[in-house]
């Protein structure tokens, strides 16, 4: 019998202590600690129901996919699960996985609430806050201190990852810190329930249906159902990968023959490096550098006329590309370290003219592939620089 209706899940609230999990004030106000950060909505289960024997569910007879706005939400969701069962079978998911998971999935109202509360979403005007307060919170002394400890404890392993992927070894540590507070907060949402809820909600149905199928494929490949927990947005493990990224990019970093991103830091670091390599990371090039911009520079002439097909609002804040040599000719001067003279870079002034500015390389774009938010990518790069003490 197919379970219908809503099931309200408890939300894990983590309380920060000086020696424990780092939780920002925003997180403490009932905000999911692993939610997407400003400027974007990114596209990471309860234990298996061992007391319920798997059942074979007949192929769906619903001809048309029901709308989430149907009068009877319970009936509509039940019919929607029949659609998912058919799609999973078509995708080659085993009958055992299909019948032991999909009929029992539940909607989680908290997931919908958190999703609609993201910047730019329903009921939340799209605005960009100042970067400086965000930087103080996400490149904090505590994150720097703990990041340096993790970095020092994994020096040789990170060198191997750099040789394998070309990625600056401090970057995976920084992402590890940002995503899960160095493994302390990985999320306690039932991954399959979260994904089915976001898919059923309908605004990004194809994205989350595909991720749900990917999560089912992880089960088929032997990932225990109990491991598939994570953020309300569907990300899981130390790197907070979406299920499709786990399938495609998770790799073995400790030599045991398995890619275990849930309990192996080595596998997590290697997988993050592999993700960034796949996103186009260029070896031996910084992500970006802080610069001083002369007051009289013609910003209109520097505007990039190209509209990015992905995350256009994020990329709209970047200037056109010039080499470091060309930026110097315009009076843009690096504050500390510089870029190679022929390296192309774009200018970003996150708090507007007169405040800190950055020249960003293609490696910054690789970080944006991880989370398409300028604040996130800047904080990752800046924290990595502090961790590596450069």
């Amino acid at each position: 019998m197919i379970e219908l209706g809503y099931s309200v899940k408890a939300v894990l609230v983590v309380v920060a202590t000086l020696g424990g999990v780092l939780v920002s004030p925003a997180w403490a106000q009932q905000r999911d600690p692993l939610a997407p950060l400003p400027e974007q909505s990114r596209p990471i289960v309860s234990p298996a129901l061992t007391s319920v024997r798997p059942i074979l569910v007949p192929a769906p007879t619903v001809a048309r996919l029901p709308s989430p706005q149907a009068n009877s939400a319970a009936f509509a969701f039940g019919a929607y699960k029949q659609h998912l069962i058919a799609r999973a079978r078509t995708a080659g998911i085993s009958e055992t996985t299909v019948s032991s998971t999909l009929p029992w999935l539940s909607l989680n109202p908290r997931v919908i609430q958190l999703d609609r509360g993201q910047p730019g979403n329903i009921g939340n005007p799209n605005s960009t806050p100042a970067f400086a307060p965000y930087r103080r919170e996400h490149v904090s002394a505590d994150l720097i201190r703990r990041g340096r400890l993790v970095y020092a404890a994994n020096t040789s392993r990170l060198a191997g990852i750099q040789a394998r992927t070309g990625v600056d070894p401090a970057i995976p540590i920084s992402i590890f810190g940002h995503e899960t507070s160095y493994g302390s907060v990985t999320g306690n949402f039932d991954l399959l329930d979260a994904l089915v809820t976001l898919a059923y909600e309908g605004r990004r149905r194809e994205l989350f249906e595909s991720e749900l199928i990917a999560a089912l494929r992880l089960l088929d490949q032997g990932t225990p159902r109990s491991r598939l927990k994570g953020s309300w947005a569907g990300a899981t493990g130390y790197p907070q990968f979406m299920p499709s990224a786990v399938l495609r990019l998770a790799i073995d970093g400790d030599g045991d023959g398995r890619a275990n991103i849930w309990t192996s830091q080595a596998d997590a670091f290697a997988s993050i490096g592999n993700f960034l390599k796949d996103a186009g990371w260029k070896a031996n090039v910084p992500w970006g550098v802080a610069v001083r911009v002369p007051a009289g520079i013609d910003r209109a002439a520097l505007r990039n006329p190209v509209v990015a097909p992905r995350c256009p609002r994020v990329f709209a804040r970047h200037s056109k590309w010039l080499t470091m040599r060309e930026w110097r000719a315009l009076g843009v001067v690096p504050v500390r370290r510089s870029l190679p003279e022929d390296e192309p870079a774009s200018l970003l002034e996150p708090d507007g003219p007169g405040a800190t500015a950055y020249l960003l390389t293609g490696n910054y774009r690789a970080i944006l592939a991880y989370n398409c938010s300028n604040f996130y990518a800047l904080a990752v790069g800046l924290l990595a620089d502090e961790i590596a003490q450069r």
Side-chain angles (χ1 to χ4, degrees), residues 137-180:
E137 183 177 341
H138 293 273
V139 191
S140 67
D142 183 65
L143 280 171
I144 294 168
R145 177 186 61 80
R146 290 192 289 141
R148 286 176 178 173
L149 291 175
V150 176
Y151 187 74
N154 291 275
T155 302
S156 60
R157 182 167 284 147
L158 291 167
I161 293 170
Q162 184 177 25
R164 184 176 180 179
T165 65
V167 173
D168 171 0
I171 293 289
I173 303 299
S174 179
I175 289 176
F176 181 46
H178 275 273
E179 293 290 341
T180 66

Side-chain angles (χ1 to χ4, degrees), residues 253-273:
D254 56 17
D256 67 355
R258 296 175 297 155
N260 173 14
I261 64 166
W262 295 273
T263 61
S264 169
Q265 289 189 8
D267 290 2
F269 302 154
S271 297
I272 293 170

Side-chain angles (χ1 to χ4, degrees), residues 34-97:
L34 302 179
L37 295 165
E39 302 188 58
Q40 63 99 39
S41 295
R42 76 166 166 181
I44 170 183
V45 333
S46 59
L49 302 176
T50 55
S51 61
V52 180
R53 289 180 298 174
I55 62 173
L56 296 180
V57 180
T61 57
V62 179
R64 186 171 56 186
L65 186 63
S67 165
Q69 288 75 37
N71 290 333
S72 174
F75 176 79
F77 183 54
Y80 179 59
K81 286 197 287 188
Q82 292 287 337
H83 157 76
L84 292 176
I85 288 166
R87 177 165 180 174
R89 285 172 171 155
T90 299
I93 303 301
S94 73
E95 193 62 40
T96 298
T97 296

Side-chain angles (χ1 to χ4, degrees), residues 244-261:
S244 61
V246 179
L247 289 171
R248 193 168 66 89
L249 296 168
I251 59 175
D252 176 21
D254 56 17
D256 67 355
R258 296 175 297 155
N260 173 14
I261 64 166

Side-chain angles (χ1 to χ4, degrees), residues 90-314:
T90 299
I93 303 301
S94 73
E95 193 62 40
T96 298
T97 296
V98 168
S99 60
S100 64
T101 55
L102 290 178
W104 315 108
L105 298 185
S106 301
L107 293 176
N108 188 330
R110 178 63 173 151
V111 168
I112 295 176
Q113 179 186 22
L114 288 165
D115 181 51
R116 294 188 177 188
Q118 293 308 294
N121 288 349
I122 299 171
N124 190 336
N126 201 357
S127 61
T128 300
F131 175 61
Y134 182 94
R135 174 177 177 168
R136 285 193 297 271
E137 183 177 341
H138 293 273
V139 191
S140 67
D142 183 65
L143 280 171
I144 294 168
R145 177 186 61 80
R146 290 192 289 141
R148 286 176 178 173
L149 291 175
V150 176
Y151 187 74
N154 291 275
T155 302
S156 60
R157 182 167 284 147
L158 291 167
I161 293 170
Q162 184 177 25
R164 184 176 180 179
T165 65
V167 173
D168 171 0
I171 293 289
I173 303 299
S174 179
I175 289 176
F176 181 46
H178 275 273
E179 293 290 341
T180 66
S181 192
Y182 302 110
S184 299
V185 186
T186 56
N188 200 38
F189 279 82
D190 180 292
L191 204 66
L192 299 187
D193 280 352
L195 290 169
V196 78
T197 298
L198 292 166
Y200 178 72
E201 185 187 22
R203 293 186 302 109
R204 291 168 291 169
R205 174 166 284 165
E206 178 55 35
L207 167 65
F208 288 109
E209 278 191 11
S210 297
E211 292 298 338
L212 178 61
I213 297 300
L216 295 175
R217 203 172 303 284
L218 287 173
L219 294 176
D220 264 358
Q221 293 181 358
T223 301
R225 174 75 188 270
S226 59
R227 274 188 177 167
L228 293 186
K229 293 181 182 293
S231 78
W232 65 264
T236 190
Y238 285 154
Q240 290 291 278
F241 277 0
M242 296 300 288
S244 61
V246 179
L247 289 171
R248 193 168 66 89
L249 296 168
I251 59 175
D252 176 21
D254 56 17
D256 67 355
R258 296 175 297 155
N260 173 14
I261 64 166
W262 295 273
T263 61
S264 169
Q265 289 189 8
D267 290 2
F269 302 154
S271 297
I272 293 170
N274 195 42
F275 183 105
L276 295 171
K277 176 184 177 182
D278 183 76
W281 188 278
K282 182 179 177 182
N284 303 315
V285 174
W287 63 270
V289 294
V291 293
R292 287 189 294 270
V293 180
I297 197 168
D298 186 355
R299 290 180 174 82
L302 295 174
R303 187 174 296 117
N304 192 342
V306 178
V307 177
R310 174 178 172 271
C311 305
R313 183 167 169 267
V314 171

